[in-house]
Amino acid sequence: MRVFSASGCRWLGAGGALAVAVGGWFAGTLPVRGGWGLWERHGPAPTTAGALLAYLGLTLLVAAWWRYGVLLVRGAEAARDGVLATLACWTAPLLLAPPLHSADVYSYVAQGAMVLEGHDVYGAGPSVLGPGDLGSEAAASVGGHWTDTPAPYGPAFLLLAAAVVKLTGGAVVPAVLGMRLIALGALALTVWAVRGLGGGPGGRAGALWLAVLNPLFLIHVVGGTHNDGLMIGLVLGGVLLATRGRWVLGSVLVGCAVMVKSPAAVALLFIGITVARRDGGGARGLAKGLVLPGAVAGAVAAGATVLAGTGFGWLRTQSVAGTIHTALSLTSDLGLGLGLLLADDPDPVKDLVQKLGLAAALVLIAVLARRSWRRLLDPVLGLGLSLVALVALSPMVQPWYLLWGTAVVASVAWYGRAGQVLAVLSAALVYETAPSGRTPWYGFVAAVAVAALGLLWARREPWRAGAAEDADRPVGTPTGRPASA
């Protein structure tokens, strides 16, 4: 059937993205005020209808994406050659939609306004903005816990947010669209880096499929305008430059990524390993790799902090997210459960389990780094798996955090078992939050159901590690699999 061809998937996914966007105009994360008559809240009936339409569109998008990936694994030339056109078709409907599946962008705008208004963004939350201040409309729309939470983001990102607020006067609709332009820049940077790391045409197409055609990326980076996309793009760009021998500039990009979100610092370890391996792998090369990339990134961080004028308060706010419980955090759930069973006050037990989880993540990262150093593992793949481990064991986990490691793994190993499992988890986690940004019980049910079905399918039909090489063969070369289905 044509709907199962590459072009059929492209238009099916575009229709799904359009339904997500239209549904978002009625059931998205709409501002409390300042919607300009465009992004306005509606009554129960239109909101429910919009949510149903958005979920239907999301399901069509996920189905089209998954089928497109199967075509790539089977070596379909049309799917390989049309991946960028497909990305454009799936992205375009989301460009003018209101924020989708998260209210975080309102925090970004409000924090940018706080910088301009002279507030200590690392000492207070958006609630300090009064009715006459820049960004007050965005501050009124910030979700629950984050109203009084200091910014956990680096000064570089706050400078970008402040620039958007200054250019738009803090009006919520143009400010959100300005932040979406930054997200589109992050998308373009990620595409460039993934294509550079992805190898031949088939490898590049598959890498782009898992990294940026991924509905989790489209919904949360383009639709939700999360700054995780900017961190990912800068990290991948830095890694690409390092693999090409330009590790100083690569470390600069990673330093900028750290000044967006601090987990990007993990990339410095694996850039260092790449540098050390290129220098012959001796003790001198190892010392150079472990010290110099971090020194370059540290200089970038210090410079960005001084330039922003926000102070070094970001060093103390990196743990604030851990105080907010999210159900996707295994260590927080386990710690809370043990605390309720073993103590009158569960918080100390929960805090201990969270710290143990982070310690376990550091051990796993060290193991992956050692394997990369010993040439048992590609350093880029080691970085991707390290970021996945860090997310899995973090005290706060949001669905889009999975993208940190997924985009990196995609760039070098989309076709292997890790890529297939991450694809399944991406398809599942996209359901966890509602278009309004809430996390309803049925979102978890849908996520668990999709994950279970996807993992069962992956067990029965594992992707072969040679898929990317097969996809790069000249047309007509036997692969052992049909070119299309």
Side-chain angles (χ1 to χ4, degrees):
M1 295 177 63
R2 291 184 63 84
V3 72
F4 295 131
S5 67
S7 62
C9 290
R10 180 178 306 138
W11 297 114
L12 180 65
L18 180 61
V20 169
V22 173
W25 283 70
F26 296 92
T29 313
L30 298 161
V32 171
R33 63 174 185 268
W36 285 17
L38 299 173
W39 299 346
E40 300 293 344
R41 301 193 175 199
H42 302 272
T47 299
T48 300
L52 291 174
L53 178 63
Y55 273 118
L56 173 62
L58 185 60
T59 301
L60 292 177
L61 180 61
V62 169
W65 174 67
W66 194 264
R67 176 60 183 174
Y68 203 94
V70 171
L71 292 175
L72 287 171
V73 169
R74 292 176 177 175
E77 182 182 4
R80 182 193 69 191
D81 295 342
V83 67
L84 290 178
T86 301
L87 177 62
C89 289
W90 292 5
T91 301
L94 303 175
L95 296 182
L96 297 178
L100 300 173
H101 292 263
S102 173
D104 281 8
V105 67
Y106 298 125
S107 292
Y108 303 162
V109 174
Q111 288 159 357
M114 289 174 65
V115 172
L116 293 176
E117 294 283 356
H119 296 289
D120 181 4
V121 75
Y122 296 122
S127 62
V128 301
L129 293 173
D133 290 338
L134 286 172
S136 60
E137 293 173 348
S141 302
V142 173
H145 295 293
W146 299 103
T147 301
D148 298 308
T149 301
Y153 313 119
F157 179 71
L158 294 179
L159 282 179
L160 288 175
V164 168
V165 173
K166 188 171 184 178
L167 289 172
T168 61
V172 70
V173 172
V176 169
L177 294 179
M179 297 304 299
R180 186 165 283 148
L181 284 177
I182 294 175
L184 287 176
L187 170 62
L189 179 59
T190 304
V191 168
W192 168 74
V194 168
R195 282 172 59 84
L197 290 165
R204 290 197 297 268
L208 290 171
W209 170 80
L210 181 55
V212 293
L213 271 184
N214 192 327
L216 195 64
F217 191 100
L218 294 174
I219 294 300
H220 285 293
V221 172
V222 179
T225 68
H226 283 113
N227 59 5
D228 301 75
L230 182 57
M231 182 193 81
I232 290 166
L234 289 169
V235 164
L236 282 170
V239 169
L240 173 62
L241 291 172
T243 62
R244 293 178 173 177
R246 302 174 66 186
W247 65 267
V248 174
L249 185 55
S251 299
V252 168
L253 287 187
V254 173
C256 292
V258 173
M259 289 293 90
V260 176
K261 299 192 80 167
S262 59
V266 177
L268 295 170
L269 174 60
F270 290 89
I271 285 179
I273 289 171
T274 301
V275 172
R277 284 174 41 166
R278 182 172 287 114
D279 282 1
R284 182 178 178 180
L286 181 61
K288 174 182 175 181
L290 292 179
V291 174
L292 294 184
V296 171
V300 170
T305 302
V306 173
L307 178 64
T310 55
F312 287 84
W314 59 272
L315 292 170
R316 69 172 183 270
T317 62
Q318 297 307 302
S319 62
V320 298
T323 63
I324 299 174
H325 188 94
T326 55
L328 290 178
S329 171
L330 299 177
T331 58
S332 294
D333 292 339
L334 178 61
L336 180 61
L338 290 174
L340 291 172
L341 286 173
L342 302 175
D344 294 331
D345 182 4
D347 287 340
V349 178
K350 178 182 174 182
D351 183 64
L352 175 61
V353 174
Q354 288 176 334
K355 286 183 169 60
L356 290 174
L358 287 174
L362 292 176
V363 170
L364 287 173
I365 292 170
V367 170
L368 291 166
R370 184 171 183 270
R371 288 179 60 81
S372 299
W373 163 248
R374 297 181 64 190
R375 302 180 184 273
L376 300 174
L377 184 68
D378 183 327
V380 180
L381 179 57
L383 169 60
L385 295 176
S386 294
L387 290 170
V388 171
L390 179 62
V391 170
L393 295 168
S394 287
M396 191 187 85
V397 179
Q398 299 285 15
W400 53 92
Y401 288 5
L402 183 69
L403 294 169
W404 301 353
T406 297
V408 181
V409 171
S411 65
V412 291
W414 70 275
Y415 47 81
R417 177 51 62 93
Q420 192 174 16
V421 170
L422 289 172
V424 170
L425 293 178
S426 296
L429 288 177
V430 79
Y431 287 97
E432 196 260 346
T433 55
S436 64
R438 295 182 300 107
T439 53
W441 63 269
Y442 51 82
F444 288 97
V445 172
V448 169
V450 171
L453 290 173
L455 291 173
L456 179 62
W457 178 87
R459 182 185 177 113
R460 291 182 175 180
E461 296 187 35
W463 292 349
R464 293 198 303 112
E469 288 82 0
D470 287 346
D472 288 333
R473 292 175 186 267
V475 177
T477 302
T479 65
R481 293 188 301 280
S484 61

